[in-house]
């Protein structure tokens, strides 16, 4: 099967041409072969199309409507600090800001101390084992991960030694924008035995400029007993394209909890690829996608239970109005030896317009006995009786709808037991709902 997207061939050609120009300036002196091999894989498969099962609900034709290409590092435009605070309203955070894939040192506050290294990845790549980096070698469905491996310019490098508990959240703000700009950032998060941290990624636009293509990958490794809260916010301006991929590997008794929310951009796709590498691990994957206009939002998760006694809990909620299109795809694979697995997966959607669309595909692949697994999906509208009840008590129609939608989204945000992350999530959800953020 030919999986190359012909309408996007100019974007493919632009990246190939850019690689010849930029390869010598990309960070990581020992990664030249990795980058070249990743580009070759991308050239062979091209941009994913709907003919691939993993992409059947999400087309990337938008990558063919404009030619997107990475550019050499240049002078970063000015960024208002107040806007950074609004994107991530968290006090006392360690903050790393990247503008079009380049570290903005004057806007950032790296942290280095006993057992803690938090800084730009470009300065650490020479010391990184290439095997720690996702390279997109899983097949055509991961072609954008391969593209990132070829062009990764910078991102966050977070390394916590054993027994290190970081009591300050780490906020990564990734800003992109420009005429035909393609930005490929990479975050590398490694937590040692029993270490714990909160990391919040915010992807946003520089401003109302020509649309940009943001392609971000996070490689996450949690050692035995480590715990991570991982927030991922896609909040770009209208017209932007966003692809985010998290590759997570969990050691024995490790606890990975994530919340991915999408509120902006013309098209966004957030992927979570989780694998248990030992017994007793726990994965909590939560998310919300809020679409209006002609926005398309896709949340895709893949969880592989390869060891006994691991737990997965998933809940994703979607709200679509106007012509908004929401997608949830969730796969839980339980290997024959993974007895004692407990996996629950649920997706609910609200359609606020007869033109809105929701696609939901929760999947279980169970090859083991002695497991507890469930999945389910619903698609519906707001309950007219509830709206009538609120209007009878003095609220107008719009206020009643906002209150019900707030409660609907809050139901999943309330599962976040990290105050900093919950605050950021509520702020972005409130903006979409048209509520004042204080």
């Amino acid at each position: 099967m030919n999986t190359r997207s012909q309408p996007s061939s100019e974007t493919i050609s632009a990246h190939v041409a850019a690689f010849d120009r930029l390869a010598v300036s990309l960070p990581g002196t020992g990664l030249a072969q990795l980058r070249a091999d990743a580009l070759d894989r991308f050239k062979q498969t091209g941009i994913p199309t709907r003919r691939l099962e993993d992409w059947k609900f999400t087309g990337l034709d938008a990558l063919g409507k404009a030619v997107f290409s990475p550019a050499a590092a240049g002078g970063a435009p000015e960024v208002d600090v107040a806007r950074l605070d609004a994107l991530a309203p968290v006090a006392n955070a360690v903050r790393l800001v990247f503008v079009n894939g380049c570290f903005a040192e004057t806007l950032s506050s790296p942290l280095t101390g006993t057992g803690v290294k938090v800084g730009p990845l470009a300065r650490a790549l020479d010391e990184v084992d290439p095997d720690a980096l996702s390279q997109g070698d899983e097949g055509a469905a991961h072609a954008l991960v391969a593209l990132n491996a070829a062009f990764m310019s910078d991102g966050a490098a977070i390394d916590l030694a054993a027994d290190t508990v970081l009591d300050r959240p780490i906020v990564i703000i990734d800003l992109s924008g420009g005429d035909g700009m393609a930005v490929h950032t990479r975050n590398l998060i490694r937590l040692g035995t029993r270490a714990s941290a909160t990391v919040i990624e915010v992807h946003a636009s520089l401003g109302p400029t020509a649309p940009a293509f943001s392609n971000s990958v996070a490689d996450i490794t949690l050692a035995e007993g480590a715990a991570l809260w991982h927030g991922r916010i896609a909040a770009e301006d209208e017209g932007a394209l966003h692809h985010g991929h998290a590759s997570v590997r969990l050691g024995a008794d490790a606890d990975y909890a994530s919340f991915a929310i999408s509120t902006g951009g013309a098209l966004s796709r957030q992927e979570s690829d989780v694998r248990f590498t030992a017994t007793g691990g726990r994965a909590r994957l939560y998310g919300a996608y809020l679409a209006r206009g002609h926005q398309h939002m896709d949340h895709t998760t893949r969880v592989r239970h390869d060891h006994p006694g691991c737990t997965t809990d998933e809940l994703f909620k979607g709200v679509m109005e106007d012509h908004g299109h929401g997608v949830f795809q969730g796969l839980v694979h339980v290997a024959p030896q993974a007895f004692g697995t407990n996996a629950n997966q649920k997706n609910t959607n609200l359609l606020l317009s007869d033109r809105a669309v929701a696609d939901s595909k929760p999947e279980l692949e169970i090859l083991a006995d002695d497991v507890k697994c469930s999945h389910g999906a619903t698609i519906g509208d707001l309950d007219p009786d509830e709206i009538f009840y609120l209007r009878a008590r003095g609220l107008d129609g719009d206020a009643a709808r906002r209150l019900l939608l707030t409660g609907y989204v809050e139901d999943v945000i309330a599962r976040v037991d990290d105050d900093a992350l919950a605050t950021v999530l509520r702020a972005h959800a409130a903006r979409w709902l048209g509520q004042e953020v204080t």
Side-chain angles (χ1 to χ4, degrees), residues 35-377:
R35 292 182 183 277
D37 291 345
L39 185 68
D40 284 342
R41 282 192 294 274
F42 174 71
K43 288 192 293 185
Q44 291 170 11
T45 62
I47 293 170
T49 73
R50 292 178 183 268
R51 285 172 287 181
L52 293 168
E53 183 65 24
D54 275 2
W55 290 84
K56 66 182 295 183
F57 299 118
T58 299
L60 294 176
D61 293 342
L63 289 177
K65 294 178 181 178
V67 179
F68 293 93
S69 176
E78 292 187 7
V79 177
D80 186 358
V81 175
R83 180 161 183 259
L84 300 179
D85 295 336
L87 287 171
V90 180
N92 196 38
V94 180
R95 186 157 68 188
L96 301 177
V97 180
F98 300 89
V99 179
N100 281 337
C102 299
F103 181 56
E105 190 160 12
T106 59
L107 301 172
S108 303
S109 55
L111 178 65
T112 301
T114 304
V116 179
K117 293 181 181 178
V118 180
L121 180 64
R123 299 177 185 175
L125 268 179
D126 286 338
E127 303 172 5
V128 171
D129 182 352
D131 290 339
L133 302 171
S134 300
Q135 300 172 32
D137 51 3
E138 298 90 342
H142 290 78
L144 296 183
V145 178
L147 188 63
N148 178 283
F151 286 96
M152 53 185 172
S153 55
D154 209 339
I158 300 169
D159 201 338
L160 270 60
D163 298 309
T164 300
V165 177
L166 191 60
D167 57 3
R168 299 172 59 190
I170 301 169
V171 173
I172 305 166
I173 299 180
D174 188 359
L175 301 173
S176 58
D179 189 10
M181 177 75 71
V183 179
H184 304 280
T185 54
R186 175 77 60 133
N187 298 319
L188 181 62
I189 303 170
R190 297 176 290 187
L191 271 58
T193 303
R194 295 178 298 278
S196 66
T198 297
V199 177
I200 305 171
E201 298 181 37
V202 182
H203 300 272
S205 298
L206 281 167
T209 59
F213 169 43
S214 168
N215 181 27
S216 178
V217 174
D219 287 309
I220 300 170
T221 303
L222 304 186
E224 180 179 356
L228 175 68
W229 261 112
H230 184 205
R232 303 163 66 195
I233 295 99
E236 288 91 347
D237 289 346
E238 181 180 353
L241 311 176
H242 175 75
H243 170 259
H245 179 93
S247 176
V248 186
R249 299 296 177 263
L250 303 181
D253 300 316
D255 185 358
Y256 174 73
S258 76
F259 197 113
I261 186 170
S262 299
T263 62
L267 182 148
S268 68
R269 175 173 165 118
Q270 299 204 56
E271 301 175 344
S272 297
D273 206 334
V274 180
R275 182 183 293 269
F276 295 99
T277 64
T279 61
R282 181 187 185 192
R284 291 173 284 166
L285 307 179
Y286 307 132
Y289 41 100
L290 313 175
R292 58 166 52 103
H294 290 270
Q295 289 180 304
H296 181 104
M297 296 175 175
D298 180 331
H299 284 248
T300 294
T301 68
R302 310 175 193 90
V303 182
R304 294 193 62 87
H305 285 259
D306 292 329
H307 293 269
C310 297
T311 301
T312 294
D313 182 34
E314 293 191 57
L315 175 61
F316 284 78
K317 290 194 169 190
V319 180
M320 280 67 68
E321 64 180 15
D322 301 328
H323 293 272
H325 187 171
V327 176
F328 171 77
Q329 297 183 108
L331 171 64
V332 175
H333 174 86
V334 182
Q337 69 274 15
F339 54 86
T341 290
N342 189 339
N344 300 289
Q345 188 182 73
K346 185 177 182 181
N347 172 231
T348 68
N349 298 275
L350 289 178
L351 300 182
L352 307 184
S353 162
D354 57 7
R355 297 162 297 182
V357 177
D359 288 303
S360 183
K361 192 180 75 168
E363 293 183 274
L364 297 174
E365 293 182 352
I366 303 173
L367 304 179
D369 296 325
D370 187 22
V371 301
K372 295 180 180 180
C373 296
S374 66
H375 66 175

